[in-house]
Amino acid sequence: MLTLYHAPLSRSTRVVQLIAEMRIEDSVEVRLTDLPRIDGSGARDPANPHPEGKVPFLVHGSVGIRETNAILLYLTDLYPETPLGRPVGHPGRGSYLSWLFWYGNVMEPVYLAERQGLSDPAIARTWRGTDEAAARLGAALARHPYLVDDMFSAADLLIASTYGWFRDLIPEDPAIRAWVDRCLDRPALTGVLERDRAAMADRTERAPA
């Protein structure tokens, strides 16, 4: 049995979506946890074994895996029959790995800097900007309906999630907008978000006055 530590409506929501997309809910125990949030709510949960108290954190036996893209890769490799991954030897493997790691190495820093109004020559030299990120996405989506090939993958799930949080930053490119709509309108995501919102509402009701 695998165990995922998950805080509702957080970065770990993407992993819960992946689990639903892969239909491996019976193989993964999802444990709800808490964490400090930007609005000042929440607190570090001593029961969460993540070394920094963050989410997601996946435990498989004695092994702990942290960082969203690492967990997505771990799960899709652990279950190579799933269409959400691209196993070793698959012609899309290189592209799949590249997109998974491009998210953490380029896209998330770029969009967080944009959201926070940060501008610095070091940022531009290291990650460039949202225009360059959009151009990279647009070039891929001009060839295929999804980033790797013609099928939805965990890379699409991960990268499109950025626009779920920052909808006002969705590029004007029609191909990107159509792709975002396809990725964010999946039944698995809708179901996970409904459960997350219910869990958050329940915690609010049970919180001491």
Side-chain angles (χ1 to χ4, degrees), residues 2 18 26 39 50 61 74 101 105 146 159 181 185:
L2 296 104
L18 179 74
D26 291 343
D39 63 4
H50 190 294
Y74 190 90
F101 290 93
N105 293 339
Y146 293 103
I159 293 171
D181 288 343
D185 193 35

Side-chain angles (χ1 to χ4, degrees), residues 113-162:
E114 176 80 12
R115 173 55 73 208
Q116 297 301 317
L118 300 177
S119 178
D120 186 274
I123 293 175
R125 286 196 300 269
T126 304
W127 298 296
R128 296 169 181 82
T130 54
D131 288 345
E132 289 84 357
R136 179 64 58 85
L137 291 173
L141 295 169
R143 298 192 297 271
H144 304 287
Y146 293 103
L147 295 176
V148 176
D149 47 37
D150 293 337
M151 293 183 63
F152 180 76
S153 74
D156 297 287
L157 183 159
L158 177 63
I159 293 171
S161 70
T162 300

Side-chain angles (χ1 to χ4, degrees), residues 177-200:
R177 287 185 168 269
W179 166 76
V180 170
D181 288 343
R182 289 194 296 275
C183 292
L184 299 185
D185 193 35
R186 295 181 67 84
L189 176 57
T190 301
V192 168
L193 290 176
E194 288 177 354
R195 292 192 294 275
D196 271 8
R197 293 184 183 112
M200 291 293 285

Side-chain angles (χ1 to χ4, degrees), residues 11 14 54 73 76-77 87 89-90 103 113 117 119 138 150 152 174 176 181 195-196 199:
R11 283 177 169 83
R14 301 173 294 196
K54 297 180 180 180
L73 178 59
T76 54
D77 278 0
H90 190 285
Y103 170 81
S119 178
D150 293 337
F152 180 76
I176 296 177
D181 288 343
R195 292 192 294 275
D196 271 8

